[in-house]
Amino acid sequence: SGLKGAVLNEAFPILRRNADECVDQILKHNEVAMQDYCADYTMDFVQKQLLGITNVSERERSELRDALDAWLAGLFSITAILRIPWLTRRSKPYKARLYLQARIEERIDYLLEHGPDSSTLSKMIFAVDDQSNSKLSRLQIIENSLFLIAAGTETSSSVLTLAIFMMGLNPTTFKKLVNEQRELQTTSEDLTEQQIANAPYLDAVVKETLRIGA
């Protein structure tokens, strides 16, 4: 989803915690629309890890989700292709982008006033280039944040949904995946990041899912 290395390592606890919460919600129902839960899972990650928004009301969460959906839906719309200024400014995707940009700018102002936190946005704000001693501009931070939001939600939720769908069609694959993780889990604790990194069958399933979805 556009995150690699140290940033992804730091995000691992949030990913695991969000996954636990998502599974808990799924187990409360007999039938679920997995694409909705996958979208919610990635949306939580965007809020908590990318933007660092940990305390959000259900109304704010819904507004953020609706704005994100509207913006992504408009990226390849006829309005985006035509690029007619007066038409673009009146479009729902454009207004949604302005909303997302405003939320990012609010977080930038907050972090500049109160100092860094563990979010990806914070790291972009306070990162300094070792050679030039320069920082990202405000515009660069906003654009990078929007890119990561798009990659961290739409792409990731689609891949997760596809993976679950394919395992539903291939129960043998699902059983092998479960057995591998049970063998790795040497204690009653959750699997660690290092254990998951040493799961060859899981790695193969992920790569095959990405190949099919490409």
Side-chain angles (χ1 to χ4, degrees), residues 122-147:
S122 177
K123 289 178 173 57
M124 286 191 286
I125 294 171
F126 296 102
V128 179
D129 185 88
D130 293 334
Q131 296 181 343
S132 63
N133 200 36
S134 61
K135 293 185 177 182
L136 292 174
S137 68
R138 194 179 187 91
L139 178 59
Q140 288 174 322
I141 293 170
I142 293 171
E143 292 296 328
N144 286 341
S145 296
L146 288 171
F147 169 76

Side-chain angles (χ1 to χ4, degrees), residues 7-205:
V7 174
L8 187 55
N9 292 339
E10 293 179 8
F12 183 78
I14 292 179
L15 288 169
R16 187 173 62 188
R17 185 164 59 251
N18 288 353
D20 289 338
E21 293 173 358
C22 184
V23 171
D24 288 341
Q25 290 298 317
I26 291 173
L27 293 176
K28 294 179 181 178
H29 304 85
N30 293 326
E31 294 183 4
V32 296
M34 282 306 303
Q35 65 268 26
D36 293 337
Y37 282 92
C38 290
D40 286 342
Y41 171 70
T42 54
M43 188 73 247
D44 279 343
F45 176 73
V46 164
Q47 289 178 345
K48 297 173 183 176
Q49 176 59 38
L50 293 185
L51 300 180
I53 303 176
T54 54
N55 297 317
V56 59
S57 67
E58 190 57 37
R59 179 185 61 81
E60 291 173 320
R61 175 186 170 83
S62 178
E63 288 178 352
L64 187 60
R65 173 73 180 274
D66 290 344
L68 180 60
D69 289 343
W71 174 56
L72 292 174
L75 288 179
F76 303 101
S77 66
I78 186 65
T79 302
I81 295 173
L82 293 175
R83 293 186 179 181
I84 302 174
W86 66 267
L87 181 60
T88 298
R89 288 193 295 270
R90 289 168 172 76
S91 67
K92 187 176 180 180
Y94 179 78
K95 294 177 181 178
R97 178 191 166 94
L98 290 181
Y99 172 84
L100 293 171
Q101 181 173 325
R103 294 304 305 272
I104 294 170
E105 295 213 58
E106 287 175 5
R107 287 295 301 165
I108 292 174
D109 292 337
Y110 177 87
L111 291 167
L112 288 174
E113 180 179 353
H114 295 88
D117 60 17
S118 61
S119 68
T120 305
L121 177 61
S122 177
K123 289 178 173 57
M124 286 191 286
I125 294 171
F126 296 102
V128 179
D129 185 88
D130 293 334
Q131 296 181 343
S132 63
N133 200 36
S134 61
K135 293 185 177 182
L136 292 174
S137 68
R138 194 179 187 91
L139 178 59
Q140 288 174 322
I141 293 170
I142 293 171
E143 292 296 328
N144 286 341
S145 296
L146 288 171
F147 169 76
L148 288 175
I149 288 172
T153 53
E154 183 69 13
T155 304
S156 298
S157 64
S158 297
V159 171
L160 284 172
T161 303
L162 177 61
I164 293 169
F165 174 72
M166 295 304 297
M167 283 190 288
L169 294 178
N170 299 274
T172 301
T173 298
F174 176 72
K175 290 179 181 178
K176 289 182 179 179
L177 195 59
V178 171
N179 290 335
E180 179 184 64
Q181 294 190 31
R182 284 176 176 169
E183 290 175 0
L184 290 171
Q185 193 171 13
T186 56
T187 68
S188 60
E189 300 295 327
D190 292 330
L191 288 173
T192 65
E193 179 187 353
Q194 289 73 23
Q195 288 173 317
I196 292 177
N198 293 318
Y201 196 78
L202 172 61
D203 183 62
V205 169

